[in-house]
Amino acid sequence: MIKHMENAEKDATLYVADLMAAAARTAPKGSGKDKVVTAILTGADKDYLAKVMHDLALEYNEQFFERDSTNVTMSQCILIIGVKSEPFGLDNCNMCGFENCAAMRKAGTNCVFNITDLGIAVGSAVSVAANHRIDNRVMYSAGKAAVKMSLFPADVKVCYGIPLSTGSKSMYFDREPGAVLR
């Protein structure tokens, strides 16, 4: 059997995506409660996410959504990392800016512990990609699209997407702010 470079790179990228999902899950948590969720999208599912990003670019009139949707289309896969929106029920925390968790929930905002845990999970995941020399970029736009398409249950309101690719030069960097790669 002969495995050419393109197949080896795709297999490596998918393997690293699995490792990244595991790293996100096992990342340290400020609360000690596991509220992080992950999904890996390939093929038609990845392309549908890119289409939702394209639609959001038009809806929001934001060029970077379009640029990012093109990057996702060109990627081998994308890891989506989200966090469940579940406040802790503390009466004296105030770190979110509200009096307590009940007031925060009523306002429809997010618990800082959950968002911090999401950030730590994303950092752990991208460190795995970096250690394996897989090109990647953290994208708010892909996370927004994942929420819009209800990829996770309704209690997951904040996500980030991390597309993965291999190539001689990373397509995710050296991008002009308004540029769209084609």
Side-chain angles (χ1 to χ4, degrees), residues 95-133:
M95 288 177 63
C96 62
F98 291 92
E99 179 182 346
N100 54 38
C101 291
M104 181 214 63
R105 178 170 270 183
K106 185 177 178 181
T109 190
N110 297 293
C111 173
V112 297
F113 287 110
N114 297 338
I115 299 302
T116 300
D117 289 350
L118 175 60
I120 295 167
V122 168
S124 292
V126 297
S127 72
V128 169
N131 288 342
H132 289 86
R133 308 308 178 260

PDB file of all heavy atoms in Angstrom, residues 95-133:
ATOM      1  N   MET A  95     -18.619  38.269  39.953  1.00  0.00           N
ATOM      2  CA  MET A  95     -17.573  38.412  38.942  1.00  0.00           C
ATOM      3  C   MET A  95     -18.137  38.696  37.554  1.00  0.00           C
ATOM      4  O   MET A  95     -17.440  39.238  36.699  1.00  0.00           O
ATOM      5  CB  MET A  95     -16.671  37.177  38.923  1.00  0.00           C
ATOM      6  CG  MET A  95     -15.768  37.128  40.152  1.00  0.00           C
ATOM      7  SD  MET A  95     -14.734  35.657  40.222  1.00  0.00           S
ATOM      8  CE  MET A  95     -13.740  35.844  38.768  1.00  0.00           C
ATOM      9  N   CYS A  96     -19.404  38.386  37.329  1.00  0.00           N
ATOM     10  CA  CYS A  96     -20.046  38.640  36.035  1.00  0.00           C
ATOM     11  C   CYS A  96     -20.584  40.063  35.954  1.00  0.00           C
ATOM     12  O   CYS A  96     -21.022  40.506  34.891  1.00  0.00           O
ATOM     13  CB  CYS A  96     -21.194  37.667  35.822  1.00  0.00           C
ATOM     14  SG  CYS A  96     -22.509  37.831  37.043  1.00  0.00           S
ATOM     15  N   GLY A  97     -20.556  40.779  37.069  1.00  0.00           N
ATOM     16  CA  GLY A  97     -21.082  42.137  37.096  1.00  0.00           C
ATOM     17  C   GLY A  97     -22.491  42.229  37.648  1.00  0.00           C
ATOM     18  O   GLY A  97     -23.030  43.327  37.795  1.00  0.00           O
ATOM     19  N   PHE A  98     -23.082  41.097  37.947  1.00  0.00           N
ATOM     20  CA  PHE A  98     -24.417  41.088  38.519  1.00  0.00           C
ATOM     21  C   PHE A  98     -24.344  40.740  40.004  1.00  0.00           C
ATOM     22  O   PHE A  98     -23.357  40.173  40.480  1.00  0.00           O
ATOM     23  CB  PHE A  98     -25.314  40.094  37.776  1.00  0.00           C
ATOM     24  CG  PHE A  98     -25.629  40.544  36.378  1.00  0.00           C
ATOM     25  CD1 PHE A  98     -24.837  40.156  35.315  1.00  0.00           C
ATOM     26  CD2 PHE A  98     -26.710  41.373  36.124  1.00  0.00           C
ATOM     27  CE1 PHE A  98     -25.110  40.581  34.022  1.00  0.00           C
ATOM     28  CE2 PHE A  98     -26.994  41.805  34.837  1.00  0.00           C
ATOM     29  CZ  PHE A  98     -26.192  41.412  33.790  1.00  0.00           C
ATOM     30  N   GLU A  99     -25.411  41.037  40.715  1.00  0.00           N
ATOM     31  CA  GLU A  99     -25.455  40.828  42.164  1.00  0.00           C
ATOM     32  C   GLU A  99     -25.234  39.362  42.537  1.00  0.00           C
ATOM     33  O   GLU A  99     -24.509  39.049  43.475  1.00  0.00           O
ATOM     34  CB  GLU A  99     -26.807  41.303  42.713  1.00  0.00           C
ATOM     35  CG  GLU A  99     -26.965  41.120  44.206  1.00  0.00           C
ATOM     36  CD  GLU A  99     -28.330  41.559  44.693  1.00  0.00           C
ATOM     37  OE1 GLU A  99     -29.056  42.245  43.958  1.00  0.00           O
ATOM     38  OE2 GLU A  99     -28.665  41.216  45.833  1.00  0.00           O
ATOM     39  N   ASN A 100     -25.855  38.472  41.766  1.00  0.00           N
ATOM     40  CA  ASN A 100     -25.734  37.042  42.041  1.00  0.00           C
ATOM     41  C   ASN A 100     -26.085  36.259  40.772  1.00  0.00           C
ATOM     42  O   ASN A 100     -26.442  36.840  39.743  1.00  0.00           O
ATOM     43  CB  ASN A 100     -26.623  36.625  43.221  1.00  0.00           C
ATOM     44  CG  ASN A 100     -28.067  37.023  43.032  1.00  0.00           C
ATOM     45  OD1 ASN A 100     -28.601  36.952  41.929  1.00  0.00           O
ATOM     46  ND2 ASN A 100     -28.717  37.453  44.114  1.00  0.00           N
ATOM     47  N   CYS A 101     -26.021  34.946  40.856  1.00  0.00           N
ATOM     48  CA  CYS A 101     -26.273  34.107  39.678  1.00  0.00           C
ATOM     49  C   CYS A 101     -27.713  34.221  39.186  1.00  0.00           C
ATOM     50  O   CYS A 101     -27.960  34.147  37.978  1.00  0.00           O
ATOM     51  CB  CYS A 101     -25.940  32.647  39.989  1.00  0.00           C
ATOM     52  SG  CYS A 101     -24.165  32.339  40.227  1.00  0.00           S
ATOM     53  N   ALA A 102     -28.657  34.415  40.106  1.00  0.00           N
ATOM     54  CA  ALA A 102     -30.056  34.559  39.687  1.00  0.00           C
ATOM     55  C   ALA A 102     -30.229  35.814  38.830  1.00  0.00           C
ATOM     56  O   ALA A 102     -30.904  35.769  37.789  1.00  0.00           O
ATOM     57  CB  ALA A 102     -30.970  34.606  40.913  1.00  0.00           C
ATOM     58  N   ALA A 103     -29.622  36.915  39.223  1.00  0.00           N
ATOM     59  CA  ALA A 103     -29.711  38.161  38.445  1.00  0.00           C
ATOM     60  C   ALA A 103     -29.001  38.003  37.102  1.00  0.00           C
ATOM     61  O   ALA A 103     -29.480  38.495  36.076  1.00  0.00           O
ATOM     62  CB  ALA A 103     -29.114  39.320  39.236  1.00  0.00           C
ATOM     63  N   MET A 104     -27.876  37.292  37.101  1.00  0.00           N
ATOM     64  CA  MET A 104     -27.148  37.047  35.852  1.00  0.00           C
ATOM     65  C   MET A 104     -27.991  36.216  34.900  1.00  0.00           C
ATOM     66  O   MET A 104     -28.113  36.534  33.717  1.00  0.00           O
ATOM     67  CB  MET A 104     -25.821  36.325  36.146  1.00  0.00           C
ATOM     68  CG  MET A 104     -24.990  36.043  34.911  1.00  0.00           C
ATOM     69  SD  MET A 104     -24.048  34.513  34.987  1.00  0.00           S
ATOM     70  CE  MET A 104     -25.333  33.297  35.111  1.00  0.00           C
ATOM     71  N   ARG A 105     -28.590  35.175  35.404  1.00  0.00           N
ATOM     72  CA  ARG A 105     -29.423  34.301  34.568  1.00  0.00           C
ATOM     73  C   ARG A 105     -30.622  35.071  34.009  1.00  0.00           C
ATOM     74  O   ARG A 105     -30.965  34.944  32.831  1.00  0.00           O
ATOM     75  CB  ARG A 105     -29.888  33.094  35.360  1.00  0.00           C
ATOM     76  CG  ARG A 105     -30.796  32.181  34.532  1.00  0.00           C
ATOM     77  CD  ARG A 105     -31.063  30.891  35.198  1.00  0.00           C
ATOM     78  NE  ARG A 105     -30.020  29.974  34.759  1.00  0.00           N
ATOM     79  CZ  ARG A 105     -29.952  28.716  35.103  1.00  0.00           C
ATOM     80  NH1 ARG A 105     -30.832  28.203  35.904  1.00  0.00           N
ATOM     81  NH2 ARG A 105     -28.988  27.951  34.666  1.00  0.00           N
ATOM     82  N   LYS A 106     -31.233  35.902  34.848  1.00  0.00           N
ATOM     83  CA  LYS A 106     -32.388  36.698  34.415  1.00  0.00           C
ATOM     84  C   LYS A 106     -31.987  37.644  33.274  1.00  0.00           C
ATOM     85  O   LYS A 106     -32.745  37.869  32.339  1.00  0.00           O
ATOM     86  CB  LYS A 106     -32.950  37.494  35.588  1.00  0.00           C
ATOM     87  CG  LYS A 106     -34.204  38.253  35.268  1.00  0.00           C
ATOM     88  CD  LYS A 106     -34.758  38.958  36.499  1.00  0.00           C
ATOM     89  CE  LYS A 106     -36.006  39.747  36.127  1.00  0.00           C
ATOM     90  NZ  LYS A 106     -36.539  40.456  37.280  1.00  0.00           N
ATOM     91  N   ALA A 107     -30.772  38.181  33.335  1.00  0.00           N
ATOM     92  CA  ALA A 107     -30.272  39.090  32.299  1.00  0.00           C
ATOM     93  C   ALA A 107     -29.871  38.345  31.022  1.00  0.00           C
ATOM     94  O   ALA A 107     -29.673  38.951  29.977  1.00  0.00           O
ATOM     95  CB  ALA A 107     -29.090  39.898  32.827  1.00  0.00           C
ATOM     96  N   GLY A 108     -29.734  37.013  31.102  1.00  0.00           N
ATOM     97  CA  GLY A 108     -29.384  36.217  29.929  1.00  0.00           C
ATOM     98  C   GLY A 108     -27.916  36.247  29.571  1.00  0.00           C
ATOM     99  O   GLY A 108     -27.548  35.958  28.434  1.00  0.00           O
ATOM    100  N   THR A 109     -27.070  36.582  30.523  1.00  0.00           N
ATOM    101  CA  THR A 109     -25.635  36.642  30.243  1.00  0.00           C
ATOM    102  C   THR A 109     -24.962  35.340  30.659  1.00  0.00           C
ATOM    103  O   THR A 109     -25.628  34.376  31.016  1.00  0.00           O
ATOM    104  CB  THR A 109     -25.016  37.886  30.921  1.00  0.00           C
ATOM    105  OG1 THR A 109     -23.685  38.052  30.444  1.00  0.00           O
ATOM    106  CG2 THR A 109     -25.009  37.773  32.419  1.00  0.00           C
ATOM    107  N   ASN A 110     -23.636  35.302  30.628  1.00  0.00           N
ATOM    108  CA  ASN A 110     -22.880  34.072  30.866  1.00  0.00           C
ATOM    109  C   ASN A 110     -22.082  34.133  32.155  1.00  0.00           C
ATOM    110  O   ASN A 110     -21.537  35.178  32.509  1.00  0.00           O
ATOM    111  CB  ASN A 110     -21.921  33.819  29.701  1.00  0.00           C
ATOM    112  CG  ASN A 110     -22.653  33.608  28.413  1.00  0.00           C
ATOM    113  OD1 ASN A 110     -23.353  32.620  28.255  1.00  0.00           O
ATOM    114  ND2 ASN A 110     -22.527  34.540  27.489  1.00  0.00           N
ATOM    115  N   CYS A 111     -21.963  33.000  32.790  1.00  0.00           N
ATOM    116  CA  CYS A 111     -21.163  32.858  34.000  1.00  0.00           C
ATOM    117  C   CYS A 111     -19.676  32.963  33.651  1.00  0.00           C
ATOM    118  O   CYS A 111     -19.205  32.306  32.709  1.00  0.00           O
ATOM    119  CB  CYS A 111     -21.460  31.511  34.644  1.00  0.00           C
ATOM    120  SG  CYS A 111     -20.407  31.108  36.051  1.00  0.00           S
ATOM    121  N   VAL A 112     -18.946  33.775  34.383  1.00  0.00           N
ATOM    122  CA  VAL A 112     -17.522  33.943  34.089  1.00  0.00           C
ATOM    123  C   VAL A 112     -16.735  32.656  34.298  1.00  0.00           C
ATOM    124  O   VAL A 112     -15.743  32.430  33.607  1.00  0.00           O
ATOM    125  CB  VAL A 112     -16.881  35.094  34.898  1.00  0.00           C
ATOM    126  CG1 VAL A 112     -17.507  36.415  34.532  1.00  0.00           C
ATOM    127  CG2 VAL A 112     -16.953  34.857  36.388  1.00  0.00           C
ATOM    128  N   PHE A 113     -17.166  31.804  35.220  1.00  0.00           N
ATOM    129  CA  PHE A 113     -16.465  30.533  35.405  1.00  0.00           C
ATOM    130  C   PHE A 113     -16.586  29.683  34.148  1.00  0.00           C
ATOM    131  O   PHE A 113     -15.612  29.091  33.691  1.00  0.00           O
ATOM    132  CB  PHE A 113     -17.023  29.758  36.611  1.00  0.00           C
ATOM    133  CG  PHE A 113     -16.632  30.346  37.928  1.00  0.00           C
ATOM    134  CD1 PHE A 113     -17.587  30.968  38.723  1.00  0.00           C
ATOM    135  CD2 PHE A 113     -15.332  30.278  38.392  1.00  0.00           C
ATOM    136  CE1 PHE A 113     -17.244  31.508  39.942  1.00  0.00           C
ATOM    137  CE2 PHE A 113     -14.968  30.824  39.610  1.00  0.00           C
ATOM    138  CZ  PHE A 113     -15.942  31.440  40.391  1.00  0.00           C
ATOM    139  N   ASN A 114     -17.781  29.628  33.566  1.00  0.00           N
ATOM    140  CA  ASN A 114     -17.979  28.836  32.349  1.00  0.00           C
ATOM    141  C   ASN A 114     -17.152  29.387  31.191  1.00  0.00           C
ATOM    142  O   ASN A 114     -16.510  28.625  30.464  1.00  0.00           O
ATOM    143  CB  ASN A 114     -19.463  28.827  31.954  1.00  0.00           C
ATOM    144  CG  ASN A 114     -20.346  28.165  32.991  1.00  0.00           C
ATOM    145  OD1 ASN A 114     -19.894  27.373  33.801  1.00  0.00           O
ATOM    146  ND2 ASN A 114     -21.622  28.503  32.971  1.00  0.00           N
ATOM    147  N   ILE A 115     -17.178  30.693  31.010  1.00  0.00           N
ATOM    148  CA  ILE A 115     -16.440  31.305  29.902  1.00  0.00           C
ATOM    149  C   ILE A 115     -14.933  31.144  30.102  1.00  0.00           C
ATOM    150  O   ILE A 115     -14.195  30.878  29.139  1.00  0.00           O
ATOM    151  CB  ILE A 115     -16.829  32.791  29.739  1.00  0.00           C
ATOM    152  CG1 ILE A 115     -18.333  32.915  29.428  1.00  0.00           C
ATOM    153  CG2 ILE A 115     -15.988  33.471  28.677  1.00  0.00           C
ATOM    154  CD1 ILE A 115     -18.794  32.187  28.186  1.00  0.00           C
ATOM    155  N   THR A 116     -14.476  31.269  31.327  1.00  0.00           N
ATOM    156  CA  THR A 116     -13.057  31.056  31.610  1.00  0.00           C
ATOM    157  C   THR A 116     -12.664  29.620  31.312  1.00  0.00           C
ATOM    158  O   THR A 116     -11.621  29.356  30.690  1.00  0.00           O
ATOM    159  CB  THR A 116     -12.729  31.420  33.061  1.00  0.00           C
ATOM    160  OG1 THR A 116     -13.049  32.800  33.276  1.00  0.00           O
ATOM    161  CG2 THR A 116     -11.267  31.173  33.390  1.00  0.00           C
ATOM    162  N   ASP A 117     -13.506  28.668  31.714  1.00  0.00           N
ATOM    163  CA  ASP A 117     -13.226  27.261  31.431  1.00  0.00           C
ATOM    164  C   ASP A 117     -13.177  27.000  29.928  1.00  0.00           C
ATOM    165  O   ASP A 117     -12.340  26.230  29.449  1.00  0.00           O
ATOM    166  CB  ASP A 117     -14.270  26.355  32.087  1.00  0.00           C
ATOM    167  CG  ASP A 117     -14.138  26.299  33.613  1.00  0.00           C
ATOM    168  OD1 ASP A 117     -13.125  26.801  34.151  1.00  0.00           O
ATOM    169  OD2 ASP A 117     -15.057  25.755  34.256  1.00  0.00           O
ATOM    170  N   LEU A 118     -14.042  27.669  29.168  1.00  0.00           N
ATOM    171  CA  LEU A 118     -14.017  27.553  27.706  1.00  0.00           C
ATOM    172  C   LEU A 118     -12.688  28.062  27.159  1.00  0.00           C
ATOM    173  O   LEU A 118     -12.073  27.411  26.309  1.00  0.00           O
ATOM    174  CB  LEU A 118     -15.183  28.322  27.084  1.00  0.00           C
ATOM    175  CG  LEU A 118     -15.219  28.385  25.556  1.00  0.00           C
ATOM    176  CD1 LEU A 118     -15.297  26.997  24.927  1.00  0.00           C
ATOM    177  CD2 LEU A 118     -16.383  29.258  25.098  1.00  0.00           C
ATOM    178  N   GLY A 119     -12.236  29.193  27.651  1.00  0.00           N
ATOM    179  CA  GLY A 119     -10.958  29.752  27.192  1.00  0.00           C
ATOM    180  C   GLY A 119      -9.781  28.827  27.486  1.00  0.00           C
ATOM    181  O   GLY A 119      -8.893  28.647  26.646  1.00  0.00           O
ATOM    182  N   ILE A 120      -9.794  28.234  28.667  1.00  0.00           N
ATOM    183  CA  ILE A 120      -8.721  27.295  29.026  1.00  0.00           C
ATOM    184  C   ILE A 120      -8.780  26.070  28.113  1.00  0.00           C
ATOM    185  O   ILE A 120      -7.742  25.575  27.641  1.00  0.00           O
ATOM    186  CB  ILE A 120      -8.818  26.897  30.513  1.00  0.00           C
ATOM    187  CG1 ILE A 120      -8.568  28.119  31.405  1.00  0.00           C
ATOM    188  CG2 ILE A 120      -7.844  25.769  30.845  1.00  0.00           C
ATOM    189  CD1 ILE A 120      -8.941  27.913  32.864  1.00  0.00           C
ATOM    190  N   ALA A 121      -9.987  25.575  27.823  1.00  0.00           N
ATOM    191  CA  ALA A 121     -10.140  24.415  26.944  1.00  0.00           C
ATOM    192  C   ALA A 121      -9.640  24.722  25.534  1.00  0.00           C
ATOM    193  O   ALA A 121      -8.952  23.899  24.926  1.00  0.00           O
ATOM    194  CB  ALA A 121     -11.609  23.980  26.905  1.00  0.00           C
ATOM    195  N   VAL A 122      -9.967  25.903  25.021  1.00  0.00           N
ATOM    196  CA  VAL A 122      -9.492  26.300  23.691  1.00  0.00           C
ATOM    197  C   VAL A 122      -7.966  26.376  23.686  1.00  0.00           C
ATOM    198  O   VAL A 122      -7.308  25.879  22.759  1.00  0.00           O
ATOM    199  CB  VAL A 122     -10.132  27.639  23.254  1.00  0.00           C
ATOM    200  CG1 VAL A 122      -9.438  28.210  22.031  1.00  0.00           C
ATOM    201  CG2 VAL A 122     -11.625  27.453  22.986  1.00  0.00           C
ATOM    202  N   GLY A 123      -7.387  26.980  24.715  1.00  0.00           N
ATOM    203  CA  GLY A 123      -5.929  27.068  24.809  1.00  0.00           C
ATOM    204  C   GLY A 123      -5.265  25.701  24.856  1.00  0.00           C
ATOM    205  O   GLY A 123      -4.235  25.476  24.201  1.00  0.00           O
ATOM    206  N   SER A 124      -5.853  24.791  25.604  1.00  0.00           N
ATOM    207  CA  SER A 124      -5.304  23.428  25.661  1.00  0.00           C
ATOM    208  C   SER A 124      -5.382  22.752  24.306  1.00  0.00           C
ATOM    209  O   SER A 124      -4.436  22.087  23.879  1.00  0.00           O
ATOM    210  CB  SER A 124      -6.074  22.598  26.701  1.00  0.00           C
ATOM    211  OG  SER A 124      -5.830  23.069  27.999  1.00  0.00           O
ATOM    212  N   ALA A 125      -6.501  22.930  23.607  1.00  0.00           N
ATOM    213  CA  ALA A 125      -6.674  22.296  22.297  1.00  0.00           C
ATOM    214  C   ALA A 125      -5.680  22.833  21.274  1.00  0.00           C
ATOM    215  O   ALA A 125      -5.050  22.053  20.551  1.00  0.00           O
ATOM    216  CB  ALA A 125      -8.113  22.494  21.808  1.00  0.00           C
ATOM    217  N   VAL A 126      -5.529  24.151  21.194  1.00  0.00           N
ATOM    218  CA  VAL A 126      -4.623  24.697  20.172  1.00  0.00           C
ATOM    219  C   VAL A 126      -3.171  24.376  20.488  1.00  0.00           C
ATOM    220  O   VAL A 126      -2.352  24.295  19.570  1.00  0.00           O
ATOM    221  CB  VAL A 126      -4.835  26.214  19.930  1.00  0.00           C
ATOM    222  CG1 VAL A 126      -6.230  26.483  19.389  1.00  0.00           C
ATOM    223  CG2 VAL A 126      -4.553  27.035  21.165  1.00  0.00           C
ATOM    224  N   SER A 127      -2.859  24.152  21.755  1.00  0.00           N
ATOM    225  CA  SER A 127      -1.481  23.762  22.082  1.00  0.00           C
ATOM    226  C   SER A 127      -1.182  22.370  21.524  1.00  0.00           C
ATOM    227  O   SER A 127      -0.060  22.107  21.091  1.00  0.00           O
ATOM    228  CB  SER A 127      -1.226  23.819  23.587  1.00  0.00           C
ATOM    229  OG  SER A 127      -1.888  22.771  24.273  1.00  0.00           O
ATOM    230  N   VAL A 128      -2.175  21.506  21.502  1.00  0.00           N
ATOM    231  CA  VAL A 128      -1.999  20.177  20.906  1.00  0.00           C
ATOM    232  C   VAL A 128      -1.744  20.311  19.403  1.00  0.00           C
ATOM    233  O   VAL A 128      -0.840  19.674  18.858  1.00  0.00           O
ATOM    234  CB  VAL A 128      -3.227  19.282  21.177  1.00  0.00           C
ATOM    235  CG1 VAL A 128      -3.171  18.003  20.350  1.00  0.00           C
ATOM    236  CG2 VAL A 128      -3.327  18.945  22.659  1.00  0.00           C
ATOM    237  N   ALA A 129      -2.530  21.159  18.741  1.00  0.00           N
ATOM    238  CA  ALA A 129      -2.316  21.370  17.309  1.00  0.00           C
ATOM    239  C   ALA A 129      -0.915  21.921  17.049  1.00  0.00           C
ATOM    240  O   ALA A 129      -0.223  21.469  16.128  1.00  0.00           O
ATOM    241  CB  ALA A 129      -3.373  22.313  16.743  1.00  0.00           C
ATOM    242  N   ALA A 130      -0.514  22.878  17.856  1.00  0.00           N
ATOM    243  CA  ALA A 130       0.820  23.464  17.689  1.00  0.00           C
ATOM    244  C   ALA A 130       1.905  22.420  17.896  1.00  0.00           C
ATOM    245  O   ALA A 130       2.882  22.373  17.137  1.00  0.00           O
ATOM    246  CB  ALA A 130       1.015  24.633  18.647  1.00  0.00           C
ATOM    247  N   ASN A 131       1.752  21.584  18.898  1.00  0.00           N
ATOM    248  CA  ASN A 131       2.748  20.545  19.181  1.00  0.00           C
ATOM    249  C   ASN A 131       2.862  19.530  18.051  1.00  0.00           C
ATOM    250  O   ASN A 131       3.889  18.876  17.902  1.00  0.00           O
ATOM    251  CB  ASN A 131       2.418  19.819  20.482  1.00  0.00           C
ATOM    252  CG  ASN A 131       2.680  20.673  21.700  1.00  0.00           C
ATOM    253  OD1 ASN A 131       3.401  21.666  21.641  1.00  0.00           O
ATOM    254  ND2 ASN A 131       2.078  20.304  22.815  1.00  0.00           N
ATOM    255  N   HIS A 132       1.804  19.400  17.248  1.00  0.00           N
ATOM    256  CA  HIS A 132       1.814  18.459  16.131  1.00  0.00           C
ATOM    257  C   HIS A 132       1.971  19.148  14.775  1.00  0.00           C
ATOM    258  O   HIS A 132       1.832  18.528  13.726  1.00  0.00           O
ATOM    259  CB  HIS A 132       0.538  17.611  16.149  1.00  0.00           C
ATOM    260  CG  HIS A 132       0.524  16.629  17.261  1.00  0.00           C
ATOM    261  ND1 HIS A 132       0.088  16.938  18.531  1.00  0.00           N
ATOM    262  CD2 HIS A 132       0.930  15.346  17.308  1.00  0.00           C
ATOM    263  CE1 HIS A 132       0.210  15.886  19.303  1.00  0.00           C
ATOM    264  NE2 HIS A 132       0.722  14.900  18.590  1.00  0.00           N
ATOM    265  N   ARG A 133       2.248  20.452  14.809  1.00  0.00           N
ATOM    266  CA  ARG A 133       2.517  21.248  13.613  1.00  0.00           C
ATOM    267  C   ARG A 133       1.353  21.238  12.624  1.00  0.00           C
ATOM    268  O   ARG A 133       1.541  21.214  11.413  1.00  0.00           O
ATOM    269  CB  ARG A 133       3.803  20.806  12.916  1.00  0.00           C
ATOM    270  CG  ARG A 133       5.046  20.729  13.800  1.00  0.00           C
ATOM    271  CD  ARG A 133       5.305  22.000  14.581  1.00  0.00           C
ATOM    272  NE  ARG A 133       6.462  21.888  15.444  1.00  0.00           N
ATOM    273  CZ  ARG A 133       6.416  21.647  16.763  1.00  0.00           C
ATOM    274  NH1 ARG A 133       5.262  21.502  17.363  1.00  0.00           N
ATOM    275  NH2 ARG A 133       7.509  21.581  17.471  1.00  0.00           N
TER     276      ARG A 133
END
